[in-house]
């Protein structure tokens, strides 16, 4: 009866240890990614008692019988030969193999925090770890991390607690479930405190900022070399096309407006612009950016895990513009530290002049459309009154 007792005992009690063992053995980041921040595991016991226990008892009995007849001589010894001579070496080998595997072959929690970035000065892609700050050339580390996060994300969508609720209470597991809200502002968020599920959003934001800084670096280089027209430069054309395809924005226009927003924020911090004037300026700036900064529709992305993740989380059109406007302090700091560039106050004046001209053109266009409508209506009336 020993194997029967062991099998039934294991099948009937193991569920009680699952929550405590998961909290004990899983890193906190992994628990948050798969189970959510609250970490409620009560559904594990519920679903096991209701569904798996009828299956677990016969499986436990069969497993106990099988283990008994397969390993009884190895684990308990045979005849006068002590068990340690047979089982000791085997158990020691299993222990060593397990230690080696979990130490060197299993993935670390930090492996979920690699993201793909672009060097603004060289334009080359690299992988960066948000937890450790480590940098690696190429895209391999970021791509592997995206695959890892995708696997974890798939597990997080297997809502067995919701399935249990649906099965016994008739409530759909998707009722009231919403997608994670996209964090627009990253200024007060420490990178090493990010949850793994937010890394893809941070990567999309970082790549947008990288492309803006890349274009600014090329503009500064062109000015240093006295190049008048930089639009024809292959590197400039590449970064503008990339922003158009990935974010559906006119990168040159967004950069110009972002620099104006930096000056507005700086003047407000220094007390040179009151809050009402700042709000009016930013509202007009946002309106013009959305109207003139959005270009063609972004191209589809598919293929490797990294590209698929970028496609699902990339910042497009008005979301990209909103992300830029809400993080001007980050952009200003990166311009200062990485490009040794300080945005001049005169840029705001130039931007204001540009927005005034655009407003005049827009007014003229509306007047022209009104005149055209009136003329067409008059011509139609004249035709029917002949």
């Amino acid at each position: 009866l020993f194997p029967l007792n062991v099998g039934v005992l294991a099948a009937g009690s193991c569920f009680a240890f699952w929550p405590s063992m998961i909290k004990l053995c899983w890193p906190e980041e992994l628990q948050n990614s798969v189970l959510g921040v609250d970490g409620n595991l009560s559904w594990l016991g519920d679903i096991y008692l209701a569904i798996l226990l009828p299956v677990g008892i016969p499986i436990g009995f069969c497993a106990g019988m099988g283990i008994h007849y397969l390993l009884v001589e190895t684990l308990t010894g045979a005849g006068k030969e002590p068990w340690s001579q047979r089982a000791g070496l085997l158990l020691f080998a299993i222990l060593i193999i397990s230690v080696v595997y979990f130490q060197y072959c299993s993935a670390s929690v930090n492996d979920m925090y690699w993201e793909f970035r672009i060097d603004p000065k060289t334009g080359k892609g690299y992988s960066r770890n948000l937890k450790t700050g480590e940098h690696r050339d190429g895209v391999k580390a970021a791509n592997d991390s995206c695959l890892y996060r995708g696997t974890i994300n798939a597990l997080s969508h297997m809502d067995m607690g919701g399935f249990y609720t649906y099965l016994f209470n008739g409530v759909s597991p998707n009722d009231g479930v919403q997608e994670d809200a996209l964090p627009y502002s990253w200024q007060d968020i420490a990178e090493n405190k990010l949850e793994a599920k937010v890394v893809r959003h941070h990567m999309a934001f970082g790549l947008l900022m990288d492309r803006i800084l890349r274009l600014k670096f090329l503009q500064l280089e062109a000015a240093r070399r006295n190049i008048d027209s930089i639009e024809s430069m292959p590197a400039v054309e590449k970064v503008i096309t990339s922003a158009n395809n990935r974010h559906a924005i006119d990168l040159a226009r967004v950069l110009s407006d972002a620099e104006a927003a930096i000056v507005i924020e700086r003047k407000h911090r220094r007390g040179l612009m009151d809050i009402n004037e700042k709000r009016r300026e930013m509202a007009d700036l946002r309106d013009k950016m959305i109207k003139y900064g959005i270009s063609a529709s972004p191209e589809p992305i598919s293929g490797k895990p990294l590209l698929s993740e970028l496609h699902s989380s990339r910042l497009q059109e008005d979301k990209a513009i909103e992300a830029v406007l809400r993080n001007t302090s980050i952009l200003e700091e990166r311009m200062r530290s990485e490009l040794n560039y300080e945005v001049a106050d005169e840029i705001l004046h130039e931007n204001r002049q540009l927005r005034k001209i655009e407003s005049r053109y827009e007014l003229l266009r509306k007047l022209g459309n009104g005149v055209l409508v009136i003329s067409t209506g008059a011509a139609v009336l004249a035709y029917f009154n002949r």
Side-chain angles (χ1 to χ4, degrees):
L1 294 177
F2 177 75
L4 174 62
N5 293 334
V6 171
V8 172
L9 181 63
S13 63
C14 64
F15 69 91
F17 297 96
W18 285 349
S20 57
M21 288 296 101
I22 287 177
K23 292 183 180 296
L24 178 64
C25 300
W26 285 20
E28 183 178 357
E29 292 91 341
L30 188 60
Q31 294 181 42
N32 294 340
S33 299
V34 177
L35 304 171
V37 179
D38 57 353
N40 183 11
L41 297 176
S42 60
W43 57 269
L44 276 173
D46 295 338
I47 199 170
Y48 190 83
L49 287 172
I51 299 176
L52 299 182
L53 191 58
V55 180
I57 289 179
I59 289 179
F61 172 74
C62 295
M65 293 291 291
I67 290 174
H68 172 73
Y69 287 112
L70 288 174
L71 301 178
V72 60
E73 292 188 1
T74 301
L75 297 178
T76 62
K80 297 181 179 180
E81 190 176 12
W83 72 270
S84 57
Q85 292 185 5
R86 283 178 170 267
L89 184 60
L90 176 62
L91 295 176
F92 181 75
I94 292 174
L95 177 63
I96 294 298
I97 292 173
S98 300
V99 170
V100 171
Y101 173 77
F102 286 109
Q103 185 68 28
Y104 297 102
C105 301
S106 60
S108 166
V109 171
N110 290 337
D111 291 339
M112 293 192 295
Y113 290 88
W114 286 97
E115 63 175 4
F116 177 65
R117 300 296 293 272
I118 297 173
D119 189 330
K121 293 185 176 180
T122 64
K124 294 181 179 179
Y126 66 95
S127 300
R128 174 173 174 262
N129 194 294
L130 294 174
K131 280 287 186 181
T132 65
E134 183 182 356
H135 289 66
R136 292 182 187 175
D137 294 334
V139 72
K140 185 179 186 306
N143 190 71
D144 293 344
S145 183
C146 288
L147 182 61
Y148 189 17
R149 287 196 298 271
T151 303
I152 299 299
N153 189 54
L155 290 174
S156 68
H157 281 79
M158 295 171 59
D159 185 6
M160 294 304 294
F163 171 74
Y164 172 82
T165 303
Y166 172 71
L167 192 63
F168 290 97
N169 299 329
V171 180
S172 173
N174 294 322
D175 289 349
V177 176
Q178 299 179 351
E179 287 293 326
D180 295 330
L182 178 64
Y184 282 120
S185 180
W186 299 92
Q187 296 175 116
D188 301 322
I189 302 178
E191 292 183 344
N192 61 352
K193 299 295 184 181
L194 291 176
E195 295 182 14
K197 63 182 180 181
V198 186
V199 172
R200 63 191 184 99
H201 295 310
H202 186 274
M203 178 168 58
F205 166 74
L207 285 172
L208 174 61
M209 289 291 178
D210 291 344
R211 292 187 173 104
I212 292 175
L213 290 170
R214 174 64 177 160
L215 179 58
K216 189 62 194 179
F217 173 78
L218 294 171
Q219 289 178 349
L220 295 173
E221 283 293 293
R224 187 175 62 84
R225 298 177 186 177
N226 295 319
I227 300 176
D228 295 330
S229 178
I230 69 170
E231 285 76 11
S232 59
M233 293 173 58
V236 173
E237 184 178 356
K238 180 179 179 181
V239 70
I240 289 178
T241 302
S242 177
N244 182 21
N245 292 339
R246 297 293 183 266
H247 309 292
I249 59 173
D250 180 347
L251 193 64
R253 175 56 192 259
V254 170
L255 170 59
S256 172
D257 289 341
E259 289 185 287
I262 287 173
V263 177
I264 292 172
E265 292 286 353
R266 188 168 62 206
K267 282 180 172 290
H268 176 66
R269 289 197 305 269
R270 293 175 179 176
L272 302 176
M273 181 182 293
D274 61 41
I275 185 64
N276 293 325
E277 185 181 1
K278 173 194 169 184
R279 287 173 178 171
R280 286 195 300 269
E281 286 273 10
M282 291 299 290
D284 183 57
L285 194 65
R286 180 180 287 104
D287 179 64
K288 292 296 190 295
M289 285 181 75
I290 293 175
K291 188 170 294 184
Y292 298 103
I294 294 177
S295 56
S297 299
E299 67 178 13
I301 305 177
S302 60
K304 295 182 179 180
L306 172 64
L307 298 179
S308 299
E309 187 172 84
L310 285 175
H311 174 71
S312 65
S313 59
R314 59 182 169 170
L315 292 165
Q316 298 175 16
E317 302 168 340
D318 56 332
K319 292 182 179 179
I321 291 172
E322 191 67 27
V324 172
L325 289 177
R326 292 199 187 187
N327 296 276
T328 52
S329 63
I330 292 179
L331 185 59
E332 182 182 18
E333 176 58 31
R334 289 192 62 185
M335 284 182 173
R336 188 182 296 121
S337 61
E338 298 178 33
L339 305 182
N340 195 26
Y341 169 73
E342 191 75 35
V343 182
D345 290 347
E346 291 76 13
I347 286 180
L348 177 57
H349 175 72
E350 296 173 1
N351 186 268
R352 283 171 176 167
Q353 294 300 114
L354 174 63
R355 282 182 279 145
K356 285 181 181 179
I357 293 173
E358 288 173 343
S359 297
R360 290 169 186 167
Y361 275 120
E362 186 177 350
L363 178 60
L364 290 174
R365 182 179 60 81
K366 290 180 179 179
L367 290 174
N369 291 338
V371 170
L372 179 62
V373 170
I374 293 173
S375 301
T376 303
V380 170
L381 289 175
Y383 174 80
F384 285 105
N385 292 330
R386 285 187 304 174

